[in-house]
Structure formats: C-alpha cells, structure tokens
Amino acid sequence: MFVQTHREINQKLVAEAVRHFPEGDSFVELYAEREISVCISPSVMKKASSPKPIRLLAMRCEKTCRIGKKTLDIRHEPDTSTVRFLSERPPAPLLLADPPRSGLKALFPLFASAPPRRVLMISCHPMAALRDMAALVHDFGYVLKTVTPFDMFPQTHHLEVLAVLDR
C-alpha cells in the first residue's frame, strides 16, 4: 500500500477526495496505491499497479475494515484486462484514479465505451495530470470542476493535485 510520507497533507487529500464521492454510489478505484476508499462504499473495485499493494490491501481489509455487506473486488491485472472487465458492466458513477506518470492513456478505451459520471484523478505530476485532463475534456466530453493542489513535499518542486471532472 502506498502512503505518502506527509501524513497530515495525505489526510487532507483523502478528505477532499471523499468529499466528491456520490452519496451511497459504488465506485471503481484504479491504480489503488493509497488508503482512500477501502471501506467507503457498498461496492468497490480496486486495481493496483503492482502485486505488493494488493497483498497489503487485502491484509489491511481483513484486519481493520468492517466490510459487512460491502463487496470489495481487488485485482492486479493489465490495464487492457481492466478496461475489458469494466466495459462489460454499466458505467461506474465514480472512477477514482491515481495513475503513474504515464497517466490514464491506457484507460481511454474505457472512457469511450463505459464512461463514468465523475472522475477523481490524483497525480504526483501536474503536467501529466494536465495532459490527462485535456484528453478527458476534449476527447470524452468531461467538464473540469476543480483542481486542488497539495504540497506533499514542502521545500521541493513536487506537487500532488486532485482533479474532479464530471460528464
């Protein structure tokens, strides 16, 4: 599981992200390397970019999450498999993504076939985020609602951003 070193700022980022979740709706979290969404919604599909976060997330859920009737589907698979899996289902009300610097490009077929109503994108690379936001707006009909910066690493040039886009 990926957790930022600046705990206080990370908590603010998580709180801001959660503020934009549709009430009671299910959602999909892709590139799930943060502790954001494990127990928020009745139905969650998380996809991590490497197997280690998947193992840690599964262990954490067993120990600390009260899932009850909630469904938590945790996967580690190529982006193409995730796009195929999600495209065969109704569009998710919310997609939460924290992609690597390479961005969301591998997921663009999903936005064409089963576009979620809302996208929350977290990025540690503002220029990569800008590139992805531009594609979501111009190519897939999303409207950029907010972009919130988080100075996760004070006194460095690194900046996390949270973008909210609606369709």
Side-chain angles (χ1 to χ4, degrees):
M1 176 94 38
F2 175 77
V3 179
Q4 291 288 2
T5 57
H6 197 301
R7 192 174 303 254
E8 180 182 328
I9 300 298
N10 193 56
Q11 289 172 343
K12 289 180 180 180
L13 188 152
V14 170
E16 181 64 16
V18 169
R19 190 173 76 79
H20 295 283
F21 278 48
E23 185 81 21
D25 277 342
S26 62
F27 64 94
V28 172
E29 181 177 4
L30 302 178
Y31 308 109
E33 311 250 340
R34 293 176 188 264
E35 294 183 41
I36 292 183
S37 60
V38 175
C39 292
I40 293 171
S41 179
S43 176
V44 176
M45 195 286 261
K46 292 178 81 84
K47 176 197 178 281
S49 56
S50 65
K52 185 175 181 181
I54 290 289
R55 286 191 303 272
L56 294 173
L57 177 63
M59 288 183 342
R60 178 173 167 74
C61 287
E62 289 172 13
K63 293 179 181 177
T64 64
C65 292
R66 295 182 189 146
I67 296 176
K69 294 182 182 179
K70 297 179 183 180
T71 301
L72 182 61
D73 182 3
I74 304 171
R75 301 166 169 267
H76 174 254
E77 61 191 9
D79 289 336
T80 54
S81 297
T82 299
V83 168
R84 186 172 43 256
F85 175 82
L86 293 173
S87 293
E88 294 169 353
R89 283 148 183 76
L94 171 73
L95 180 128
L96 171 64
D98 189 355
R101 290 178 185 221
S102 58
L104 294 174
K105 187 173 184 175
L107 301 175
F108 285 171
L110 175 65
F111 294 104
S113 64
R117 285 193 316 252
R118 174 171 284 171
V119 176
L120 271 70
M121 184 177 59
I122 300 169
S123 180
C124 66
H125 194 271
M127 292 309 292
L130 182 61
R131 176 196 63 220
D132 287 343
M133 287 184 276
L136 291 173
V137 168
H138 296 294
D139 299 339
F140 301 105
Y142 284 87
V143 175
L144 180 61
K145 295 296 187 179
T146 65
V147 177
T148 308
F150 293 88
D151 192 4
M152 195 70 70
F153 305 99
Q155 301 174 355
T156 72
H157 69 282
H158 295 287
L159 185 67
E160 295 273 335
V161 295
L162 169 66
V164 179
L165 299 101
D166 285 340
R167 187 169 162 95

